[in-house]
């Protein structure tokens, strides 16, 4: 049975979330090692099973749809690693139970197979999160080009590209698959020699080892809790659909705090997806989101709106970057850049200092006080290693393929720019993985911005926007995929799973993800009004990334009046807030908001922050009433809420594509 402390670690580490495909709150203390694993693992080729691949594909597809919905609505996606491990356990246990009732025997479900399924599923849906489908790739679309302002300097008429499933799948395969090979030669150094914790990977190992302990009573409780709230959430999504016959209808537009607050996007939209996400995310993330909504939609935007005709013309479209929308977009960007720059420099310095310290102590990398279980984990991890030549030849081969084909997909990108990007990518990927191992920060999105600015500057004004957006994917995808592989290898190390099995699982999941992610994207793209700033699927990061590219080629002339001064202020605010958070005592620093999270509602509104804060409140109250039960069931209940309503998206999309409209419209009007 899993100890109370281990469950606390699972819950805390699962909370390390990814904002826009890679960000997580810094974790202060590494978790304790998982329980002892007494059994010998099967050979690596028996750890990968047919049912495991099927389960991975199903789980990966489900989370791809869920992640895509979150990407296209708020841009906030929590870390689903632990949820994927839980679903893998539920899926295979249900599978074997059904077969047993039918009188069909099945091989035992091992922790290694559980780890393989989790890894493959994570690799699959990570493409939906970090593949740019809701950010820089969607930023190439004509609608995003129009939202950025057709009159905006630098936003040229030739700077958009028709989104098609063929080239998008090919592009994702080119830029993502190469990331599997870049850090293969360094896996032993990062996992065994440097003993990096990779907290998310360790938390997942704790959960998997707990599932497969001798007593699985807790596992059964989690399965039951997940299935119960999955059913509730799915049925609730189905029930809500009947009242959404027209725009701004249904429970999602319920004026909880009155119509005036509703107009400023402050209302509870009855989304169990966001409530579940709030239960997973750290409390400070949810508080930061709410604070950002209050500052922007509660204070700033009403004041700026009253300056219409003074700060910006009154006769221009609301979507113009010279109108109020410009302030929303560029101030959000300034917060993101300030927070990103601070954390990038901090993690980079921390990484370099730590590496330097490791080199000084390189003769003492092995710990003479290691237990027999730890030595056995190291032995298995090294024994079934991946040959060095696989990493080198794989990286060079896929780099050559990318150099040939990426300029065919994007003529704006020169082949020698791709060579430059891939020459620097391994060092950036190592820094990112090392930093994630120390702090649980996956900074891939920041490295992607480096690629964006570099490519946009090289291409110039005429082609800089498309080249910058494409270049963002070159760097970000390598950093993201390689970091995810290291996290999963940490899980493998602690569950006695073969690195070879993990690599093959990651490769299978990446291929599946490069197919499933574009399909899930076009499911939303064709069924709903994606990119509409007044609709549900606002896709905020598409507009943000496009305007970053415009700024890269045009400079500050793209900003509306007085926006530059406000951007300077919020950029400085982000840096000073992070500095205060790091320098303050922990009790104080834990309550200082996160600028990265505050930036999101500046653009899209505050409605979802109410849901997520409710999720935090549920967790707090549950812990106060029944702490032990909460520690066990919070991850399962939250996952059930997210998956249930997420699964309803599939039939809802099919109904929308079939032109089947809900029969009723529930709407509130002032008397």
């Amino acid at each position: 049975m899993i100890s109370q402390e281990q469950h606390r670690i699972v819950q805390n580490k699962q909370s390390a979330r990814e904002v826009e495909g890679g960000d997580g709150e810094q974790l202060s203390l590494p978790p304790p090692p998982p329980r002892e694993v007494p059994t010998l693992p099967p050979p690596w080729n028996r750890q990968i099973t047919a049912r495991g691949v099927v389960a991975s594909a199903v789980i990966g597809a489900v989370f791809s749809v869920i992640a895509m919905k979150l990407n296209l609505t708020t841009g906030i996606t929590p870390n689903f690693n632990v949820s994927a491990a839980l679903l893998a356990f539920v899926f295979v246990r249900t599978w074997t139970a059904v077969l047993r009732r039918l009188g069909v025997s099945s091989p035992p479900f091992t922790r290694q197979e559980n780890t393989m399924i989790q890894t493959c599923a994570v690799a699959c849906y990570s493409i939906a999160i970090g593949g740019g489908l809701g950010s820089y790739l969607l930023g190439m679309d004509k609608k995003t080009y129009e939202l950025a302002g057709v009159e905006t300097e630098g936003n040229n008429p030739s700077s958009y590209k028709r989104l098609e499933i063929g080239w998008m799948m090919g592009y994702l395969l080119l830029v993502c698959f190469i990331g599997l090979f870049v850090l293969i030669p360094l896996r032993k150094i990062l996992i065994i020699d440097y003993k990096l914790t990779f907290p998310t990977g360790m938390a997942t190992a704790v959960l998997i080892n707990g599932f497969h302990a001798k007593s699985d009573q807790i596992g059964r409780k989690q399965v039951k809790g997940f299935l119960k709230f999955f059913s509730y959430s799915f049925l609730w999504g189905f029930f809500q659909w009947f009242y959404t016959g027209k725009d701004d209808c249904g429970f999602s537009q319920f004026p909880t705090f009155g119509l005036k607050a509703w107009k400023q996007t402050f209302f509870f939209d009855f989304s169990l997806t966001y409530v579940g996400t709030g239960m997973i995310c750290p409390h400070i993330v949810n508080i930061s989101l709410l604070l950002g909504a209050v500052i922007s939609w509660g204070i700033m935007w009403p004041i700026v709106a009253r300056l219409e005709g003074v700060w910006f013309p009154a006769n221009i479209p609301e979507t113009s970057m010279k109108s109020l929308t410009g302030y929303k977009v560029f101030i959000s960007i300034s917060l993101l850049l300030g927070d990103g720059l601070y954390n990038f420099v901090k993690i980079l310095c921390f990484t370099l200092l730590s590496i330097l310290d490791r080199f000084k102590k390189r003769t003492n990398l092995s710990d003479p006080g290691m237990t027999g279980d730890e030595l056995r984990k190291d032995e298995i991890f090294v024994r079934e290693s991946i040959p060095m030549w696989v990493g080198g030849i794989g990286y060079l081969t896929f780099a050559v393929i990318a150099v040939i084909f990426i300029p065919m997909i994007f003529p704006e990108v020169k082949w020698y720019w791709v060579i430059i990007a891939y020459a620097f990518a391994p060092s950036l990927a190592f820094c990112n993985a090392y930093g994630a191992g120390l702090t649980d920060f996956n900074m891939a999105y920041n490295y992607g911005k480096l690629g964006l600015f570099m490519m946009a500057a090289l291409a110039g004004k005429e082609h800089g926007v498309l080249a910058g957006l494409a270049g963002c994917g070159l760097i970000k995808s390598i950093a993201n995929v390689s970091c995810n592989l290291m996290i999963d290898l940490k899980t493998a190390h602690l569950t006695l799973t073969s690195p070879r099995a993990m690599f093959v699982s990651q490769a299978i999941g990446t291929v599946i993800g490069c197919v499933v992610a574009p399909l899930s994207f076009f499911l939303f793209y064709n069924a709903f009004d994606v990119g509409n700033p007044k609709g549900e699927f606002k896709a905020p990061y598409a507009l943000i990334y496009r305007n970053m590219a415009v700024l890269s080629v045009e400079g500050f002339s793209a900003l509306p009046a007085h926006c530059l001064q406000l951007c300077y202020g919020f950029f400085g605010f982000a840096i000073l807030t992070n500095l205060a958070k790091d320098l303050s005592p922990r009790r104080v620093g834990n309550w200082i908001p996160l600028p990265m999270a505050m930036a999101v509602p500046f653009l899209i509104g505050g409605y979802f922050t109410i849901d997520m804060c409710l999720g935090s409140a549920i967790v707090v109250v549950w812990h106060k009433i029944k702490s032990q039960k909460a520690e066990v069931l919070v991850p399962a209940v939250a996952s059930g809420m997210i998956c249930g309503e997420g699964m309803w998206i599939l039939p809802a999309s099919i109904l929308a594509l079939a032109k089947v409209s809900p029969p009723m419209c529930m709407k509130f009007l002032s008397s």
Side-chain angles (χ1 to χ4, degrees), residues 214-233:
K214 291 182 180 179
S215 173
D216 60 354
Q217 182 181 2
I218 292 176
R220 286 197 297 269
K221 287 183 179 179
Q222 289 178 316
V223 170
K224 187 180 294 185
F226 170 83
L227 293 175
K228 180 188 294 185
F229 281 87
F230 176 91
S231 304
Y232 293 162
S233 181

Side-chain angles (χ1 to χ4, degrees), residues 227-399:
L227 293 175
K228 180 188 294 185
F229 281 87
F230 176 91
S231 304
Y232 293 162
S233 181
F234 183 87
L235 293 174
W236 175 242
F238 175 57
F239 175 75
Q240 287 188 89
W241 177 80
F242 284 95
Y243 298 90
T244 56
K246 294 182 180 179
D247 293 338
D248 296 334
C249 291
F251 286 91
S252 62
Q253 298 293 327
F254 192 91
T256 320
F257 309 111
L259 287 172
K260 285 188 177 180
W262 175 81
K263 289 179 181 178
Q264 296 300 324
T265 72
F266 286 100
F267 55 90
F268 176 59
D269 73 346
F270 291 90
S271 172
L272 294 185
T273 298
Y274 294 132
V275 174
T277 303
M279 293 174 69
I280 291 176
C281 287
H283 301 320
I284 189 59
V285 173
N286 300 328
I287 293 171
S288 301
L289 288 167
L290 182 60
L291 180 61
V294 171
I295 292 174
S296 56
W297 290 86
I299 300 173
M300 283 190 62
W301 303 153
I303 294 174
V304 176
R306 286 197 289 268
L307 295 171
E308 184 180 19
V310 180
W311 279 19
F312 56 93
N315 57 350
I316 58 175
E318 187 180 346
T319 56
S320 171
M321 287 298 110
K322 297 292 184 180
S323 70
L324 178 60
T325 302
Y327 295 91
K328 296 176 183 178
V329 170
F330 291 114
I331 291 176
S332 297
I333 290 174
S334 67
L335 277 171
L336 292 171
L337 290 179
D339 185 279
L341 178 64
Y342 177 88
N343 283 293
F344 176 77
V345 173
K346 183 183 78 172
I347 297 298
L348 188 62
C349 292
F350 190 46
T351 299
L352 294 176
L353 290 173
S354 180
I355 292 173
L356 183 62
D357 184 60
R358 295 282 186 179
F359 274 115
K360 289 179 180 178
K361 301 176 181 178
R362 60 185 178 273
T363 56
N364 296 317
L365 286 175
S366 60
D367 183 3
M370 292 176 65
T371 64
D373 183 66
E374 291 171 336
L375 290 171
R376 182 176 47 175
K377 290 173 183 174
D378 289 354
E379 178 189 352
I380 292 173
F381 191 81
V382 173
R383 184 180 63 200
E384 295 193 339
S385 62
I386 307 164
M388 292 281 191
W389 61 266
V390 172
I393 293 179
Y395 187 79
L396 290 175
T397 301
F398 282 97

